[in-house]
PDB file of all heavy atoms in Angstrom:
ATOM      1  N   GLU J 321     -13.657  51.128  40.734  1.00  0.00           N
ATOM      2  CA  GLU J 321     -13.750  49.790  41.303  1.00  0.00           C
ATOM      3  C   GLU J 321     -12.387  49.247  41.708  1.00  0.00           C
ATOM      4  O   GLU J 321     -12.298  48.258  42.425  1.00  0.00           O
ATOM      5  CB  GLU J 321     -14.404  48.845  40.296  1.00  0.00           C
ATOM      6  CG  GLU J 321     -15.855  49.188  39.986  1.00  0.00           C
ATOM      7  CD  GLU J 321     -16.447  48.217  38.976  1.00  0.00           C
ATOM      8  OE1 GLU J 321     -16.311  46.999  39.185  1.00  0.00           O
ATOM      9  OE2 GLU J 321     -17.044  48.673  37.998  1.00  0.00           O
ATOM     10  N   SER J 322     -11.325  49.890  41.238  1.00  0.00           N
ATOM     11  CA  SER J 322      -9.978  49.408  41.560  1.00  0.00           C
ATOM     12  C   SER J 322      -9.322  50.199  42.678  1.00  0.00           C
ATOM     13  O   SER J 322      -8.162  49.998  42.963  1.00  0.00           O
ATOM     14  CB  SER J 322      -9.091  49.479  40.316  1.00  0.00           C
ATOM     15  OG  SER J 322      -9.556  48.605  39.328  1.00  0.00           O
ATOM     16  N   ALA J 323     -10.055  51.098  43.310  1.00  0.00           N
ATOM     17  CA  ALA J 323      -9.437  51.978  44.302  1.00  0.00           C
ATOM     18  C   ALA J 323      -8.754  51.188  45.408  1.00  0.00           C
ATOM     19  O   ALA J 323      -7.670  51.546  45.872  1.00  0.00           O
ATOM     20  CB  ALA J 323     -10.479  52.907  44.893  1.00  0.00           C
ATOM     21  N   ARG J 324      -9.351  50.076  45.835  1.00  0.00           N
ATOM     22  CA  ARG J 324      -8.748  49.354  46.952  1.00  0.00           C
ATOM     23  C   ARG J 324      -7.481  48.618  46.544  1.00  0.00           C
ATOM     24  O   ARG J 324      -6.725  48.165  47.387  1.00  0.00           O
ATOM     25  CB  ARG J 324      -9.749  48.368  47.550  1.00  0.00           C
ATOM     26  CG  ARG J 324     -10.028  47.137  46.706  1.00  0.00           C
ATOM     27  CD  ARG J 324     -11.124  46.327  47.380  1.00  0.00           C
ATOM     28  NE  ARG J 324     -11.334  45.068  46.697  1.00  0.00           N
ATOM     29  CZ  ARG J 324     -11.339  43.904  47.318  1.00  0.00           C
ATOM     30  NH1 ARG J 324     -11.104  43.834  48.613  1.00  0.00           N
ATOM     31  NH2 ARG J 324     -11.577  42.796  46.652  1.00  0.00           N
ATOM     32  N   ASP J 325      -7.270  48.468  45.236  1.00  0.00           N
ATOM     33  CA  ASP J 325      -6.059  47.811  44.766  1.00  0.00           C
ATOM     34  C   ASP J 325      -4.901  48.781  44.579  1.00  0.00           C
ATOM     35  O   ASP J 325      -3.848  48.398  44.088  1.00  0.00           O
ATOM     36  CB  ASP J 325      -6.318  47.112  43.426  1.00  0.00           C
ATOM     37  CG  ASP J 325      -7.213  45.893  43.576  1.00  0.00           C
ATOM     38  OD1 ASP J 325      -7.636  45.632  44.701  1.00  0.00           O
ATOM     39  OD2 ASP J 325      -7.470  45.225  42.563  1.00  0.00           O
ATOM     40  N   SER J 326      -5.077  50.045  44.951  1.00  0.00           N
ATOM     41  CA  SER J 326      -4.045  51.042  44.657  1.00  0.00           C
ATOM     42  C   SER J 326      -2.722  50.715  45.345  1.00  0.00           C
ATOM     43  O   SER J 326      -1.676  51.191  44.915  1.00  0.00           O
ATOM     44  CB  SER J 326      -4.514  52.435  45.070  1.00  0.00           C
ATOM     45  OG  SER J 326      -4.733  52.502  46.466  1.00  0.00           O
ATOM     46  N   ILE J 327      -2.753  49.903  46.400  1.00  0.00           N
ATOM     47  CA  ILE J 327      -1.505  49.522  47.051  1.00  0.00           C
ATOM     48  C   ILE J 327      -0.589  48.800  46.063  1.00  0.00           C
ATOM     49  O   ILE J 327       0.630  48.852  46.161  1.00  0.00           O
ATOM     50  CB  ILE J 327      -1.797  48.623  48.278  1.00  0.00           C
ATOM     51  CG1 ILE J 327      -0.514  48.317  49.044  1.00  0.00           C
ATOM     52  CG2 ILE J 327      -2.478  47.325  47.878  1.00  0.00           C
ATOM     53  CD1 ILE J 327       0.124  49.521  49.647  1.00  0.00           C
ATOM     54  N   LEU J 328      -1.187  48.118  45.077  1.00  0.00           N
ATOM     55  CA  LEU J 328      -0.373  47.456  44.068  1.00  0.00           C
ATOM     56  C   LEU J 328       0.540  48.446  43.356  1.00  0.00           C
ATOM     57  O   LEU J 328       1.683  48.142  43.030  1.00  0.00           O
ATOM     58  CB  LEU J 328      -1.281  46.777  43.030  1.00  0.00           C
ATOM     59  CG  LEU J 328      -1.990  45.498  43.489  1.00  0.00           C
ATOM     60  CD1 LEU J 328      -3.147  45.195  42.560  1.00  0.00           C
ATOM     61  CD2 LEU J 328      -1.012  44.341  43.520  1.00  0.00           C
ATOM     62  N   MET J 329      -0.015  49.634  43.112  1.00  0.00           N
ATOM     63  CA  MET J 329       0.777  50.631  42.414  1.00  0.00           C
ATOM     64  C   MET J 329       1.955  51.087  43.272  1.00  0.00           C
ATOM     65  O   MET J 329       3.053  51.320  42.787  1.00  0.00           O
ATOM     66  CB  MET J 329      -0.088  51.832  42.036  1.00  0.00           C
ATOM     67  CG  MET J 329      -1.311  51.486  41.206  1.00  0.00           C
ATOM     68  SD  MET J 329      -0.929  50.482  39.754  1.00  0.00           S
ATOM     69  CE  MET J 329       0.261  51.530  38.957  1.00  0.00           C
ATOM     70  N   HIS J 330       1.721  51.226  44.575  1.00  0.00           N
ATOM     71  CA  HIS J 330       2.813  51.627  45.471  1.00  0.00           C
ATOM     72  C   HIS J 330       3.932  50.591  45.428  1.00  0.00           C
ATOM     73  O   HIS J 330       5.114  50.927  45.354  1.00  0.00           O
ATOM     74  CB  HIS J 330       2.301  51.758  46.912  1.00  0.00           C
ATOM     75  CG  HIS J 330       1.483  52.976  47.145  1.00  0.00           C
ATOM     76  ND1 HIS J 330       2.027  54.213  47.364  1.00  0.00           N
ATOM     77  CD2 HIS J 330       0.137  53.145  47.190  1.00  0.00           C
ATOM     78  CE1 HIS J 330       1.056  55.102  47.550  1.00  0.00           C
ATOM     79  NE2 HIS J 330      -0.084  54.478  47.444  1.00  0.00           N
ATOM     80  N   VAL J 331       3.539  49.303  45.488  1.00  0.00           N
ATOM     81  CA  VAL J 331       4.551  48.249  45.484  1.00  0.00           C
ATOM     82  C   VAL J 331       5.267  48.214  44.147  1.00  0.00           C
ATOM     83  O   VAL J 331       6.483  48.185  44.054  1.00  0.00           O
ATOM     84  CB  VAL J 331       3.892  46.883  45.794  1.00  0.00           C
ATOM     85  CG1 VAL J 331       4.922  45.772  45.691  1.00  0.00           C
ATOM     86  CG2 VAL J 331       3.265  46.907  47.188  1.00  0.00           C
ATOM     87  N   HIS J 332       4.499  48.246  43.067  1.00  0.00           N
ATOM     88  CA  HIS J 332       5.074  48.142  41.723  1.00  0.00           C
ATOM     89  C   HIS J 332       5.943  49.347  41.394  1.00  0.00           C
ATOM     90  O   HIS J 332       6.922  49.236  40.666  1.00  0.00           O
ATOM     91  CB  HIS J 332       3.951  48.002  40.702  1.00  0.00           C
ATOM     92  CG  HIS J 332       4.444  47.695  39.318  1.00  0.00           C
ATOM     93  ND1 HIS J 332       4.449  48.631  38.319  1.00  0.00           N
ATOM     94  CD2 HIS J 332       4.968  46.565  38.783  1.00  0.00           C
ATOM     95  CE1 HIS J 332       4.934  48.095  37.214  1.00  0.00           C
ATOM     96  NE2 HIS J 332       5.252  46.853  37.456  1.00  0.00           N
ATOM     97  N   SER J 333       5.592  50.514  41.941  1.00  0.00           N
ATOM     98  CA  SER J 333       6.341  51.732  41.622  1.00  0.00           C
ATOM     99  C   SER J 333       7.785  51.675  42.089  1.00  0.00           C
ATOM    100  O   SER J 333       8.613  52.434  41.606  1.00  0.00           O
ATOM    101  CB  SER J 333       5.658  52.953  42.257  1.00  0.00           C
ATOM    102  OG  SER J 333       4.414  53.190  41.664  1.00  0.00           O
ATOM    103  N   ARG J 334       8.073  50.779  43.008  1.00  0.00           N
ATOM    104  CA  ARG J 334       9.450  50.707  43.507  1.00  0.00           C
ATOM    105  C   ARG J 334      10.377  50.040  42.496  1.00  0.00           C
ATOM    106  O   ARG J 334      11.583  50.137  42.608  1.00  0.00           O
ATOM    107  CB  ARG J 334       9.499  49.942  44.835  1.00  0.00           C
ATOM    108  CG  ARG J 334       8.609  50.526  45.920  1.00  0.00           C
ATOM    109  CD  ARG J 334       8.781  52.015  46.082  1.00  0.00           C
ATOM    110  NE  ARG J 334      10.138  52.369  46.421  1.00  0.00           N
ATOM    111  CZ  ARG J 334      10.606  53.592  46.475  1.00  0.00           C
ATOM    112  NH1 ARG J 334       9.828  54.611  46.175  1.00  0.00           N
ATOM    113  NH2 ARG J 334      11.855  53.828  46.794  1.00  0.00           N
ATOM    114  N   HIS J 335       9.809  49.313  41.524  1.00  0.00           N
ATOM    115  CA  HIS J 335      10.573  48.787  40.395  1.00  0.00           C
ATOM    116  C   HIS J 335      11.796  47.996  40.850  1.00  0.00           C
ATOM    117  O   HIS J 335      12.925  48.293  40.495  1.00  0.00           O
ATOM    118  CB  HIS J 335      10.997  49.942  39.488  1.00  0.00           C
ATOM    119  CG  HIS J 335      11.395  49.473  38.112  1.00  0.00           C
ATOM    120  ND1 HIS J 335      10.533  48.786  37.296  1.00  0.00           N
ATOM    121  CD2 HIS J 335      12.547  49.619  37.412  1.00  0.00           C
ATOM    122  CE1 HIS J 335      11.139  48.516  36.150  1.00  0.00           C
ATOM    123  NE2 HIS J 335      12.360  49.018  36.192  1.00  0.00           N
ATOM    124  N   GLY J 336      11.550  46.945  41.648  1.00  0.00           N
ATOM    125  CA  GLY J 336      12.629  46.044  42.024  1.00  0.00           C
ATOM    126  C   GLY J 336      13.405  46.457  43.252  1.00  0.00           C
ATOM    127  O   GLY J 336      14.274  45.719  43.699  1.00  0.00           O
ATOM    128  N   THR J 337      13.134  47.628  43.810  1.00  0.00           N
ATOM    129  CA  THR J 337      13.778  48.020  45.055  1.00  0.00           C
ATOM    130  C   THR J 337      12.795  47.768  46.193  1.00  0.00           C
ATOM    131  O   THR J 337      11.589  47.697  45.988  1.00  0.00           O
ATOM    132  CB  THR J 337      14.181  49.497  45.046  1.00  0.00           C
ATOM    133  OG1 THR J 337      13.000  50.300  44.899  1.00  0.00           O
ATOM    134  CG2 THR J 337      15.110  49.781  43.884  1.00  0.00           C
ATOM    135  N   ARG J 338      13.327  47.657  47.393  1.00  0.00           N
ATOM    136  CA  ARG J 338      12.454  47.305  48.510  1.00  0.00           C
ATOM    137  C   ARG J 338      11.527  48.474  48.845  1.00  0.00           C
ATOM    138  O   ARG J 338      11.983  49.596  49.046  1.00  0.00           O
ATOM    139  CB  ARG J 338      13.297  46.960  49.745  1.00  0.00           C
ATOM    140  CG  ARG J 338      12.489  46.303  50.859  1.00  0.00           C
ATOM    141  CD  ARG J 338      13.411  45.825  51.981  1.00  0.00           C
ATOM    142  NE  ARG J 338      12.680  45.002  52.905  1.00  0.00           N
ATOM    143  CZ  ARG J 338      11.997  45.467  53.943  1.00  0.00           C
ATOM    144  NH1 ARG J 338      11.949  46.766  54.157  1.00  0.00           N
ATOM    145  NH2 ARG J 338      11.346  44.651  54.748  1.00  0.00           N
ATOM    146  N   PRO J 339      10.192  48.225  48.872  1.00  0.00           N
ATOM    147  CA  PRO J 339       9.270  49.300  49.234  1.00  0.00           C
ATOM    148  C   PRO J 339       9.516  49.773  50.661  1.00  0.00           C
ATOM    149  O   PRO J 339      10.154  49.095  51.470  1.00  0.00           O
ATOM    150  CB  PRO J 339       7.888  48.635  49.106  1.00  0.00           C
ATOM    151  CG  PRO J 339       8.109  47.418  48.258  1.00  0.00           C
ATOM    152  CD  PRO J 339       9.501  46.978  48.549  1.00  0.00           C
ATOM    153  N   SER J 340       8.979  50.935  50.976  1.00  0.00           N
ATOM    154  CA  SER J 340       9.111  51.458  52.343  1.00  0.00           C
ATOM    155  C   SER J 340       8.381  50.546  53.323  1.00  0.00           C
ATOM    156  O   SER J 340       7.490  49.778  52.953  1.00  0.00           O
ATOM    157  CB  SER J 340       8.517  52.863  52.412  1.00  0.00           C
ATOM    158  OG  SER J 340       7.112  52.806  52.244  1.00  0.00           O
TER     159      SER J 340
END
Side-chain angles (χ1 to χ4, degrees):
E321 295 180 50
S322 295
R324 73 185 186 128
D325 290 2
S326 63
I327 185 64
L328 286 162
M329 304 309 303
H330 285 279
V331 176
H332 188 254
S333 293
R334 303 311 301 172
H335 198 59
T337 61
R338 192 173 190 273
S340 68

